[in-house]
Amino acid sequence: VPSPLSALSLDDLRKRRSEKWLTFPDDVLPLFVAEMDTPLAEPIRAALSTALARGDTGYAHLGQLAEAYTDFSARRYGWSPDPDRIRLVADVMQGIVEVLRAVTAPGDGVVINPPVYPPFFSDLRHADRRLVEVPLIGAGSGEYHLDLEGLERAFAAGAQAYLLCNPHNPTGSVFTRDALLAVAQLAGRYGVRLLVDEIHAPLTYPGVRHVPFLSLLSSATPAQEEAIARAFVLVSASKAWNLAGLKAALLLGGPGADDDLVRIPLDVRFAAGLFGVIASEAALREGEPWLADLLADLDANRALLARLLADKLPEVVYRPPDATFLAWLDCRRLGLGDDPAAAFLERGRVAVNSGHHFGAPGRGFVRFNFATSAQLVTEGVRRMAHALR
Ligand SMILES: Cc1ncc(COP(=O)(O)O)c(C=O)c1O
């Protein structure tokens, strides 16, 4: 089986110019930002090299990307969104901020579920929205759930919108159909607008089912229907095919969100890159065999990480994620304080994300990106353990 995560040597990777490879000096092993150590999938490489040969470097046009997404979603999740309700945005975070501008006002409360992707805090603050934190409920074993009672309290207290991340970064949780329907019910009761970030959905592991939020419309009760119809969803090929620097994502509006969708200026799409569109279309149309190989590698790595931690750092609590290439490691029993990542970097020369950047519940945690070779996953844990000596 071709192995996307072991195709590149560390020497090759160090020649990269991306955030992952230029942030730290060469004696640091970077396992932080959500990039993957893979070559491009062949169909993407071919599409981009054709575009390069043509000098096709003008402004982005959506082209057939909406249809490519619809077909991908039908094959993968058994549900086809309406391509007429799909808009091109530069990236998921731009899409989130544009939707919040359209459906909320400055000062309005927006609910998020820490520990969660750090730009949810910074970008919402920058957009003058008020953060309303409803932490996930952790079971201690590394398993996390939505706090439905906490959500109801936040909605009842006047929050206007809820930014839900599913699959969830950094915990790797995939929320169930029942949990999502319960969210819709509560949002309907309190008139809260729903934004769902599904960027990690293609990286859901076999045996776990990702439920696209808008697909719930067909099975919703009348009390759940309106909140789903008025929801927005953000998707992208950028995580699963490592295209983040090319800039393209899709904003999906429910059938009750048309009036809001038209209020988002059309030229928002010019922040997207044409190479992002071309690469994403190739990924969604022809990239599933590569994705299957990638998921096999990632599946092996999430299990390898469990074995390595049990052997070298048994105090760390780790539940292999149900989706994503991110491991959320509870390091509180290591005695390294609120920011174990600082010690791992300083003494172990390995860069993982500081958990506290994901909100207060992340204190004492780190996020470990295992989208690399088995060899470098092993080296990463070796360096973390070395930091403790
Ligand atoms: C949950 C989540 N949302 C959004 C993003 C950022 O996506 P984009 O680069 O499309 O803004 C990431 C990146 O890792 C992410 O994990």
Side-chain angles (χ1 to χ4, degrees):
V1 181
S3 176
L5 288 174
S6 52
L8 298 173
S9 70
L10 185 55
D11 283 347
D12 288 335
L13 291 165
R14 289 216 185 272
K15 291 179 190 137
R16 288 189 165 180
R17 300 271 314 265
S18 61
E19 174 81 3
K20 183 172 184 185
W21 293 98
L22 282 193
T23 299
F24 293 99
D26 273 3
D27 67 324
V28 171
L29 179 65
L31 301 175
F32 68 113
V33 66
E35 297 180 23
M36 299 194 293
D37 294 345
T38 56
L40 271 180
E42 177 51 30
I44 300 176
R45 197 205 56 74
L48 288 174
S49 74
T50 302
L52 265 182
R54 290 179 182 146
D56 196 1
T57 50
Y59 290 111
H61 187 286
L62 182 61
Q64 289 297 303
L65 182 55
E67 288 75 12
Y69 187 76
T70 295
D71 293 346
F72 172 80
S73 177
R75 287 191 305 274
R76 204 148 181 100
Y77 313 121
W79 170 72
S80 310
D82 178 352
D84 291 339
R85 295 195 167 96
I86 298 182
R87 295 266 301 263
L88 178 64
V89 290
D91 52 39
V92 164
M93 289 314 301
Q94 185 207 30
I96 287 169
V97 169
E98 291 298 339
V99 169
L100 287 175
R101 286 207 178 108
V103 305
T104 63
D108 279 355
V110 180
V111 176
I112 58 172
N113 303 126
V116 77
Y117 183 56
F120 280 20
F121 297 83
S122 50
D123 288 22
L124 266 57
R125 279 198 197 104
H126 187 57
D128 293 321
R129 271 38 176 189
R130 185 170 49 87
L131 290 169
V132 180
E133 299 187 30
V134 178
L136 291 182
I137 297 176
S141 58
E143 199 173 331
Y144 288 86
H145 300 282
L146 292 174
D147 176 3
L148 293 170
E149 285 166 23
L151 287 172
E152 173 149 30
R153 278 194 298 278
F155 294 177
Q160 299 290 319
Y162 173 25
L163 173 54
L164 169 63
C165 186
N166 181 43
H168 186 266
N169 170 6
T171 65
S173 314
V174 175
F175 300 117
T176 62
R177 166 180 298 268
D178 286 350
L180 297 173
L181 285 170
V183 165
Q185 178 107 10
L186 291 174
R189 187 176 306 152
Y190 295 97
V192 169
R193 299 303 295 269
L194 298 174
L195 283 72
V196 189
D197 176 346
E198 297 182 354
I199 193 169
H200 291 282
L203 295 168
T204 303
Y205 291 100
V208 179
R209 189 174 169 78
H210 166 73
V211 179
F213 195 79
L214 292 172
S215 75
L216 292 169
L217 203 51
S218 58
S219 56
T221 65
Q224 298 159 344
E225 240 166 40
E226 192 182 346
I228 301 169
R230 297 176 79 213
F232 291 92
V233 173
L234 277 303
V235 298
S236 176
S238 68
K239 288 300 127 193
W241 286 274
N242 202 40
L243 307 173
L246 297 183
K247 293 295 154 195
L250 295 173
L251 168 61
L252 282 56
D258 290 348
D259 291 350
D260 301 306
L261 211 52
V262 297
R263 282 192 291 123
I264 297 173
L266 264 178
D267 37 351
V268 157
R269 72 184 187 280
F270 293 130
L274 182 54
F275 275 23
V277 174
I278 290 168
S280 301
E281 200 179 309
L284 296 167
R285 288 250 185 252
E286 304 167 73
E288 275 174 289
W290 185 89
L291 180 59
D293 293 339
L294 174 76
L295 279 168
D297 276 6
L298 290 175
D299 194 9
N301 277 358
R302 70 177 173 151
L304 169 66
L305 184 57
R307 292 195 301 276
L308 292 166
L309 290 169
D311 182 35
K312 296 211 168 344
L313 289 167
E315 302 86 359
V316 171
V317 180
Y318 162 59
R319 179 182 183 272
D322 287 334
T324 82
F325 47 74
L326 307 166
W328 184 237
L329 306 182
D330 179 351
C331 299
R332 288 176 295 183
R333 296 209 317 243
L334 294 179
L336 296 174
D338 280 352
D339 189 12
F344 293 141
L345 177 61
E346 211 172 296
R347 304 205 292 267
R349 309 311 283 163
V350 55
V352 291
N353 291 87
S354 295
H356 68 91
H357 293 163
F358 296 72
R363 286 188 198 125
F365 287 67
V366 303
R367 192 189 74 173
F368 182 115
N369 173 350
F370 59 78
T372 189
S373 62
Q375 189 195 342
L376 292 184
V377 171
T378 307
E379 175 65 11
V381 175
R382 194 193 67 76
R383 288 178 183 224
M384 286 167 64
H386 184 79
L388 284 169
R389 288 218 313 249

